[in-house]
Amino acid sequence: MRKIILSLGLFIALMASLNQQNSKPVLAQSASEIMQLVNGFRTANGLPPFQINSALSVAAQNQANYMAANGIFSSHIGAGGSTPQSRANAAGYIGQVSENIVGGTKMSANQGLTWWRNSPVHYNTLITSRYIEAGTGFATNGSENFYVLVVGRPSDAPPANNSRDESPEPLFITPIVLSQPNEDGSIIHVVQEGQALWSLAAHYEVELSDLMLFNGLSDNALVRPGDEIIIRLADGQEPPPTPTPPLTYVVRAGDTAWSIAAVNGIKLTDFFWFNNFTEDTILQPGTEVIVHLAEGQPPPPTPTPIMFHIVRSGQTLWDIALTYGLTLDDLLAYNGLSADTLLQVGQELRIRPLPTSTLPPPATPEPTATVPEPQPAVMSAEVIVTAVTPTAANPDPTLTPAPLPTPTPESLTSPATSLIFLIGGLVILAGAFIIAGQRQN
């Protein structure tokens, strides 16, 4: 019996150890999943992804562990009265931070992101351009899951056009009873005390913009207990026409070009184009900016395309490529770089391909007559000898050589020509002596 109890105890201890070991990869996987979802959301909205920072990841995980272990979810206060800033500093981060928290019963990472997207204050953290680095954490106490996103801006980065540093209030989601589909497929939800439009969108996992469209509500609409909200249209029912988007937007404190473009559903490059802005333009609260063109309104003149980008602190090849709508491979090819190249602040990067020459090809030259090079005159050394018959005019005939060709002035000055004349003369004399000897014999 004692052996059985000991064996059972060892088995239980072994299983507990295995469960503890297996929980660590699950936590790491969940923390990585929420980070991937956040960066995927930013990329889909034309924003550069957060750069993952290990110190911020440690701070986020410590807060997630504290909340799961103590069931505390009332504020961003952590162990020993710590704050998001003090936790990040303790983990070795030097810079300013902000923190998003969400938790709920059996909440998935995708549901957590949906809550942040539908909460205006948490949404601002997702689309921020003030913070450029981030870390995430995940923890669970068995029934409730907690997700933490800590974003930061290192102290050596240039100042950002945003002065807000506070973290939005944590979101702890109490499950609500979801309405069941009607016979026609539609879903209608009756608002209860403490429920908001964005929280309904998160619970039903639908887009907040769809709820506003189905119910004819504006961005600042409030719902009250007893209101009936259309969650899903009846089968085959056509949605209402999409309302005409506003043409202008009044800049508020903390707004950036990134956030204004994302909220109004336009590309950052179009926002710059409509308003004749550049990356360095500082937005002042109260300024009215163009976010859409009216129907039939001619667009402004196409600006001269930017050819180069000057690297700023904290920027990476990836987010520079995203900023200008390039692939990473394109940016690397334009600059002759590799993916592991370390950028330097102030470095100039080409963001457009090298322009091709528009000059016509050189004309084919007209054919010209080939003038042969002058060749030196070569005279033959052959001497033609003829027999001469004796006559009264010539009683002692001798050999009469055939006249030689009259040399040209150029040939007379040639060393080769002089040699030929010398040899020819010797041959003639030799021939004359031979003939004379034969006559004597």
Side-chain angles (χ1 to χ4, degrees):
M1 184 65 178
R2 183 177 179 183
K3 290 183 179 180
I4 294 176
I5 294 174
L6 289 174
S7 298
L8 181 60
L10 289 174
F11 175 77
I12 293 174
L14 178 62
M15 291 302 296
S17 176
L18 289 175
N19 286 337
Q20 185 177 5
Q21 293 177 5
N22 290 335
S23 66
K24 292 182 180 179
V26 172
L27 294 180
Q29 182 178 1
S30 297
S32 175
E33 183 181 6
I34 193 69
M35 185 76 259
Q36 292 176 0
L37 290 173
V38 168
N39 273 344
F41 172 75
R42 288 176 62 85
T43 301
N45 284 276
L47 302 170
F50 287 127
Q51 302 170 40
I52 299 177
N53 181 279
S54 58
L56 295 179
S57 298
V58 170
Q61 188 59 53
N62 287 342
Q63 180 64 3
N65 293 342
Y66 174 79
M67 292 188 299
N70 297 278
I72 297 176
F73 204 92
S74 57
S75 68
H76 291 274
I77 302 301
S82 64
T83 64
Q85 188 66 58
S86 66
R87 287 191 292 273
N89 295 152
Y93 190 77
I94 302 176
Q96 295 178 331
V97 304
S98 183
E99 185 178 71
N100 267 12
I101 290 174
V102 66
T105 304
K106 302 299 182 183
M107 176 178 286
S108 66
N110 190 64
Q111 288 174 323
L113 176 63
T114 301
W115 279 98
W116 286 339
R117 289 173 54 186
N118 288 314
S119 166
V121 291
H122 293 81
Y123 179 81
N124 286 337
T125 304
L126 297 179
I127 64 169
T128 182
S129 60
R130 173 179 178 78
Y131 301 101
I132 59 178
E133 300 176 323
T136 51
F138 168 79
T140 182
N141 56 18
S143 61
E144 296 167 338
N145 295 337
F146 301 85
Y147 298 90
V148 178
L149 167 69
V150 181
V151 297
R153 185 178 190 84
S155 58
D156 59 352
N161 184 26
N162 187 338
S163 60
R164 296 181 301 176
D165 294 326
E166 69 275 7
S167 299
E169 288 300 315
L171 293 173
F172 186 76
I173 313 308
T174 303
I176 66 172
V177 178
L178 301 181
S179 299
Q180 298 302 310
N182 298 322
E183 292 183 0
D184 60 0
S186 64
I187 297 178
I188 308 296
H189 180 88
V190 179
V191 179
Q192 305 297 317
E193 188 68 36
Q195 295 178 356
L197 197 62
W198 62 267
S199 64
L200 295 180
H203 274 299
Y204 283 96
E205 297 190 38
V206 298
E207 294 293 333
L208 180 59
S209 57
D210 288 343
L211 290 191
M212 293 190 294
L213 175 63
F214 298 161
N215 296 275
L217 300 174
S218 61
D219 290 341
N220 55 359
L222 298 176
V223 294
R224 297 175 175 81
D227 288 348
E228 293 186 351
I229 300 299
I230 301 173
I231 304 297
R232 189 171 75 188
L233 300 174
D235 295 337
Q237 181 181 353
E238 292 292 331
T242 303
T244 303
L247 303 181
T248 60
Y249 175 87
V250 178
V251 179
R252 296 176 293 185
D255 281 340
T256 66
W258 287 108
S259 63
I260 293 174
V263 168
N264 289 278
I266 61 174
K267 296 180 180 178
L268 180 65
T269 51
D270 286 345
F271 177 69
F272 288 155
W273 178 33
F274 294 162
N275 296 276
N276 195 27
F277 290 162
T278 67
E279 278 190 319
D280 299 322
T281 300
I282 298 176
L283 301 178
Q284 300 294 341
T287 303
E288 187 175 34
V289 295
I290 301 173
V291 291
H292 292 99
L293 299 178
E295 185 175 357
Q297 178 183 353
T302 304
T304 302
I306 302 172
M307 301 301 296
F308 296 94
H309 173 83
I310 305 301
V311 177
R312 301 176 180 176
S313 178
Q315 289 187 320
T316 65
L317 288 166
W318 177 253
D319 61 54
I320 292 173
L322 284 175
T323 298
Y324 295 99
L326 304 174
T327 65
L328 181 59
D329 289 339
D330 285 342
L331 183 63
L332 296 177
Y334 296 163
N335 295 276
L337 303 176
S338 61
D340 57 354
T341 299
L342 297 178
L343 297 180
Q344 303 295 325
V345 175
Q347 181 178 350
E348 187 177 71
L349 293 180
R350 175 174 285 278
I351 57 171
R352 294 286 183 273
L354 288 170
T356 56
S357 175
T358 57
L359 297 176
T364 303
E366 294 293 333
T368 57
T370 303
V371 179
E373 294 183 4
Q375 300 294 328
V378 178
M379 301 182 63
S380 173
E382 180 182 3
V383 178
I384 301 175
V385 181
T386 58
V388 179
T389 304
T391 62
N394 188 12
D396 190 15
T398 58
L399 288 178
T400 302
L404 294 174
T406 302
T408 62
E410 292 82 0
S411 66
L412 293 176
T413 61
S414 170
T417 302
S418 301
L419 181 61
I420 291 173
F421 274 110
L422 177 62
I423 295 174
L426 293 176
V427 171
I428 292 173
L429 291 175
F433 282 120
I434 293 174
I435 294 173
Q438 288 177 349
R439 290 181 61 183
Q440 292 175 3
N441 293 334

